[in-house]
Amino acid sequence: MITIGIVGLGLIGASLAKSAKKNTEYKVFGFDKDHSVTEYALLSGIIDEELAKDNLNKCDVVFICLYPSACVKYVKENADFFKKDSLVLDCAGIKRSVCEPCFEVAEEKGFHFIGGHPMAGTQHSGIKYSKDTMFYNACFVLVPKHFEDIEIISKARETVLAVGFSRVSVMNAERHDELIAYTSQLAHVVSNAYVKSPCALSHKGISAGSYRDLTRVAYLNENMWTELFMDNKDNLLREVEGIISSLNEYAEALRSGDEVKLKALLLEGKKAKEAAEG
C-alpha cells in the first residue's frame, strides 16, 4: 500500500487528505503545527496516523502544504528522515524561492523533490473549509529540477491524478512565477484594492454577479499573501504597474470626454478576452 504524508492540515492539506481517502486506498499520515488540528483530523478520520520524524521514512510521497519559507525550513530540518527515493512535493503558491534550495537538499540526501502548486482553493482558510471535491476539474502544476527526469515526473503525475486532480501542467519555476503573478496574484491585489471604495459599505441591493466575482478573493489571508507577493515582487510589480497604466488610459478618456477612445479601449479589452480564451 502506498503511504502519503501531508504536512500542514489547512484548506489544501486537509482537502488532499480527504480526497486521497475518498479516491484511493492510500494510507494517509498528517501533521499540523496546531496539535488540536492534528487531533481533529485523527478523530474525524481525515488522516490515519499522525506524521512525525519517526514515521516520515514510511511515506512514499510527502505533500508539504505550508507557506514558502516554512516549506523550505521543513525540508531542510527533516532531510535526513525522508525515505530514500521518495517523492516530496510542496504546495506553495510561489516556486523560485522554494524549489532552488529544496532541489539542492534533495539531491544531497537521496530523495526526489518536485515543486508543486494545486490550482484550487477558496477565499477561506483552515481545515473546516476543506472538502474531498476541492480538486475536481483542477490542475496541479509540477516544477521538476530536470525535465528529462521522466520517471519521477510520471510518478508525481500519477500521484496527483490519483488524489483527485483532473490534469497536470509541467513548467520551470521562472515561468510559473511569471504566469502566477498575472493569473492569481494580480487578481488578489486588484480585488483587495477594489473593495476599499466607500461605496462597498452600501452596495447591498444594487450589486450582482460582477461585484461578487471581483471581490471574492479580497477576503484573503494577509500573512500568506504578503509572503507570496514579496517572494514574487519582480513579476507582480510588473503586472501591477501594467494595469495601472491601462487604467490611466480609461481615466484619461473619461476625463477628456473622449467617447471614441473609450469605445476603442473597451473593444481592445473584449478582443483580448476572446484571444485569451482561445
Side-chain angles (χ1 to χ4, degrees):
M1 176 182 289
I2 293 175
T3 299
I4 67 170
I6 299 174
V7 183
L9 296 172
L11 176 70
I12 296 300
S15 293
L16 275 170
K18 288 180 177 180
S19 188
K21 297 282 284 182
K22 178 180 181 180
N23 296 301
T24 73
E25 295 183 353
Y26 295 171
K27 194 168 186 179
V28 180
F29 295 174
F31 166 80
D32 194 274
K33 66 179 181 179
D34 184 339
H35 188 65
S36 66
V37 171
T38 307
E39 284 293 308
Y40 171 77
L42 279 167
L43 290 171
S44 60
I46 295 173
I47 60 174
D48 297 306
E49 291 185 28
E50 181 173 359
L51 180 65
K53 286 185 177 181
D54 62 359
N55 63 8
L56 188 58
N57 63 1
K58 295 181 181 179
C59 296
D60 303 291
V61 180
V62 178
F63 289 94
I64 305 176
C65 308
L66 304 173
Y67 294 2
S69 60
C71 282
V72 176
K73 182 180 180 183
Y74 184 88
V75 169
K76 288 182 175 180
E77 290 182 349
N78 293 276
D80 290 322
F81 302 98
F82 290 114
K83 184 178 181 179
K84 297 300 179 185
D85 290 322
S86 63
L87 177 63
V88 179
L89 303 101
D90 82 287
C91 293
I94 205 72
K95 295 275 74 81
R96 287 175 299 174
S97 63
V98 174
C99 287
E100 186 174 349
C102 291
F103 286 150
E104 184 178 345
V105 173
E107 189 169 19
E108 178 186 346
K109 297 296 183 177
F111 60 92
H112 305 285
F113 180 87
I114 291 186
H117 189 177
M119 302 307 298
T122 72
Q123 67 270 37
H124 302 293
S125 59
I127 193 170
K128 70 178 181 178
Y129 294 106
S130 64
K131 52 186 179 179
D132 60 17
T133 58
M134 179 70 70
F135 310 119
Y136 284 2
N137 297 317
C139 177
F140 194 99
V141 180
L142 295 175
V143 180
K145 182 177 183 180
H146 303 294
F147 284 88
E148 59 268 28
D149 289 341
I150 301 300
E151 185 177 344
I152 301 304
I153 295 172
S154 295
K155 180 180 178 181
R157 181 179 183 277
E158 290 170 5
T159 301
V160 298
L161 291 176
V163 299
F165 288 87
S166 298
R167 57 193 185 280
V168 175
S169 293
V170 182
M171 63 187 67
N172 63 34
E174 290 72 21
R175 184 59 172 161
H176 170 277
D177 290 0
E178 177 185 356
L179 291 174
I180 211 69
Y182 170 70
T183 62
S184 176
Q185 294 183 345
L186 178 64
H188 282 77
V189 170
V190 170
S191 180
N192 196 261
Y194 173 85
V195 80
K196 292 176 182 176
S197 167
C199 288
L201 298 176
S202 54
H203 78 277
K204 292 181 180 179
I206 194 167
S207 63
S210 54
Y211 174 85
R212 290 193 301 271
D213 291 345
L214 191 49
T215 60
R216 182 180 67 82
V217 294
Y219 189 85
L220 46 69
N221 179 331
E222 67 277 9
N223 297 310
M224 180 182 75
W225 284 100
T226 295
E227 184 171 340
L228 293 172
F229 290 164
M230 295 304 291
D231 276 359
N232 201 30
K233 63 182 179 181
D234 54 345
N235 289 313
L236 181 55
L237 187 59
R238 182 189 63 248
E239 295 296 339
V240 170
E241 290 176 341
I243 199 169
I244 289 171
S245 177
S246 292
L247 288 171
N248 279 331
E249 291 188 78
Y250 291 88
E252 181 54 36
L254 291 166
R255 191 179 297 114
S256 63
D258 192 338
E259 292 186 17
V260 174
K261 178 62 175 177
L262 181 58
K263 187 180 293 185
L265 289 170
L266 295 172
L267 181 59
E268 284 176 9
K270 179 181 176 180
K271 289 182 176 179
K273 172 63 174 177
E274 290 172 350
E277 298 302 319

